[in-house]
Amino acid sequence: MQFGIFTVGDVTVDPTTGRLPSERDRIKAMTTIALKAEEVGLDVFATGEHHNPPFVPSSPTTMLGWIAARTERLLLSTSTTLITTNDPVKIAEDYAMLQHLADGRVDLMMGRGNTGPVYPWFGQDIRNGIPLAIENYDLLHRLWREDVVDWKGKFRTPLQSFTSTPRPLDGVPPFVWHGSIRSPEIAEQAAYYGDGFFANHIFWPKEHTQRMVGLYRQRWAHYGHGSPEQAIVGLGGQVFMRRNSQEAVREFRPYFDNAPVYGHGPSLEEFTRQTPLTVGSPQQVIDRTLGFRDYVGDYQRQLFLMDHAGLPLKTVLEQLDLLGEEVVPVLRKEFDSMRPAHVPEAPTHAGLLAARDTATTAVGVAATTEEER
């Protein structure tokens, strides 16, 4: 199982000091956090994609390429790649290039984002959000798997005898997750292609996440990819930790109360009861996270949001120390001990390459056997 962190890259005033970091400060902080993630033994760093204030990660591949050059093991991902408003040809090229530079340590998560105006900014209509996601990903999927593509769709100009370059590393495209908070159509899309489904799992109650993941698993099996238990699932999460829960609640409350997304709404206590947000001790985070398995089954990736709402970099790095030293080792051991043998491990480039080579060998053996008959 893979454990990591994701960032939305918000530039938010620290409510306890009144300090607003500059965009440069925030970008540098995100890269520092990524390097710290590898240092403490996490598996994944993922960044969102936004094109409006107060967010800064408008060019995920630029940032992830910088991080790739300074890490050795960390898997680099996105927590949103805007499949609706980006040209799928450019996505194919940019992430294949990143895949080569990072020696395969790349995957990405398709999503529609959380900002409606991004559609007209990039020449699209928000009313076409789902059709855009479906059509654009169909093209991207082909561009990574076919050397020469002829294609015609509704939302972009046709392609004739087009080859996307560079080709995916070792002929194996980056693994794709389809991320969604609320749209069953996206769970269906992930199941159809046999890709991963990432349930954001930070704003909704567990019953909603359970339904979305359950739908994906059922449709995965329907399309012949394996049993429902073998579907590839990831979850988001939010945590804030201190040595004791009282200290954690006291320190985090002003950040929660003033957060751009959920501030000035339900109380911290209400939000932690109704959603997976956990504010407390490392043991409370362990217990809560292990409980996710009770309603989504065995899953492959757990990402935590930790650097938001104006939290200073020093505090976030302290959170990462706790996560890497006290929380993840226990979670890794416990989840692995409960995982049945037929449930696949988290996808990696090496694993996908091995699976392809095994399938190719099996086809060759079958063909030889048929000829001998």
Side-chain angles (χ1 to χ4, degrees):
M1 187 165 172
Q2 294 169 345
F3 295 92
I5 55 173
F6 72 100
T7 180
V8 295
D10 60 311
V11 181
T12 303
V13 172
D14 183 333
T16 67
T17 65
R19 179 182 179 272
L20 177 68
S22 68
E23 291 181 323
R24 180 184 184 279
D25 289 342
R26 190 68 175 96
I27 292 168
K28 292 289 188 178
M30 291 162 65
T31 56
T32 299
I33 289 165
L35 301 185
K36 181 71 170 182
E38 176 164 275
E39 176 189 322
V40 301
L42 301 185
D43 304 304
V44 184
F45 173 82
T47 176
E49 177 188 346
H50 299 275
H51 298 276
N52 59 287
F55 306 100
V56 293
S58 58
S59 180
T61 52
T62 301
M63 183 170 68
L64 294 178
W66 188 97
I67 296 168
R70 290 158 178 81
T71 55
E72 297 179 356
R73 184 187 53 81
L74 193 66
L75 202 158
L76 308 171
S77 185
T78 58
S79 51
T80 306
T81 294
L82 296 177
I83 188 62
T84 46
T85 51
N86 281 313
D87 183 353
V89 172
K90 197 67 169 70
I91 295 176
E93 295 173 340
D94 286 351
Y95 285 92
M97 176 69 78
L98 178 60
Q99 187 192 34
H100 282 271
L101 290 172
D103 298 322
R105 295 183 289 125
V106 172
D107 60 29
L108 64 165
M109 187 190 306
M110 300 300 166
R112 291 178 291 144
N114 61 3
T115 306
V118 73
Y119 286 85
W121 293 341
F122 287 86
Q124 300 295 347
D125 187 332
I126 192 172
R127 292 170 294 184
N128 296 325
I130 293 293
L132 276 164
I134 293 171
E135 179 178 294
N136 283 354
Y137 184 64
D138 174 70
L139 175 55
L140 175 62
H141 192 268
R142 289 186 58 189
L143 289 169
W144 274 339
R145 289 164 176 81
E146 300 175 26
D147 289 337
V148 180
V149 173
D150 292 297
W151 179 89
K152 184 177 182 180
K154 180 180 179 181
F155 299 110
R156 80 174 313 279
T157 54
L159 296 174
Q160 295 180 345
S161 301
F162 181 79
T163 299
S164 174
T165 60
R167 305 303 298 146
L169 178 65
D170 301 320
V172 176
F175 186 79
V176 168
W177 303 82
H178 298 260
S180 180
I181 295 177
R182 62 188 181 277
S183 303
E185 295 91 342
I186 303 304
E188 175 77 18
Q189 184 182 39
Y192 175 81
Y193 288 100
D195 294 336
F197 178 65
F198 190 90
N200 189 274
H201 197 42
I202 62 174
F203 296 125
W204 291 69
K206 65 180 182 181
E207 292 80 8
H208 174 77
T209 299
Q210 184 179 39
R211 288 192 296 270
M212 292 286 284
V213 173
L215 170 65
Y216 162 68
R217 290 188 184 278
Q218 293 168 10
R219 300 303 291 171
W220 162 285
H222 169 80
Y223 288 115
H225 302 300
S227 68
E229 296 79 16
Q230 292 174 309
I232 308 299
V233 173
L235 294 183
Q238 288 177 279
V239 298
F240 185 85
M241 292 174 287
R242 287 305 185 199
R243 294 296 176 184
N244 64 73
S245 58
Q246 294 84 0
E247 182 184 353
V249 169
R250 182 171 57 254
E251 183 175 348
F252 187 65
R253 188 182 299 280
Y255 296 96
F256 175 90
D257 288 346
N258 293 280
V261 175
Y262 43 61
H264 311 289
S267 69
L268 176 58
E269 287 74 15
E270 290 171 323
F271 205 83
T272 53
R273 283 196 303 269
Q274 296 169 6
T275 78
L277 171 65
T278 305
V279 180
S281 67
Q283 187 59 52
Q284 286 175 301
V285 172
I286 290 169
D287 294 341
R288 190 83 179 276
T289 307
L290 288 174
F292 297 166
R293 181 179 179 272
D294 295 338
Y295 53 90
V296 302
D298 291 285
Y299 62 110
Q300 283 74 22
R301 175 175 287 186
Q302 174 67 57
L303 300 183
F304 295 103
L305 176 62
M306 308 187 81
D307 71 323
H308 62 119
L311 287 167
L313 177 59
K314 178 177 180 293
T315 300
V316 176
L317 298 180
E318 292 167 351
Q319 295 292 302
L320 290 176
D321 280 329
L322 289 170
L323 189 67
E325 295 170 7
E326 299 191 26
V327 175
V328 165
V330 177
L331 291 177
R332 199 185 303 279
K333 179 180 178 181
E334 292 295 324
F335 276 120
D336 286 350
S337 70
M338 295 184 288
R339 183 186 306 279
H342 69 282
V343 173
E345 296 179 352
T348 63
H349 181 76
L352 295 172
L353 181 60
R356 186 206 57 187
D357 292 345
T358 298
T360 301
T361 300
V363 170
V365 170
T368 302
T369 302
E370 185 63 29
E371 290 177 1
E372 291 175 349
R373 290 176 180 172

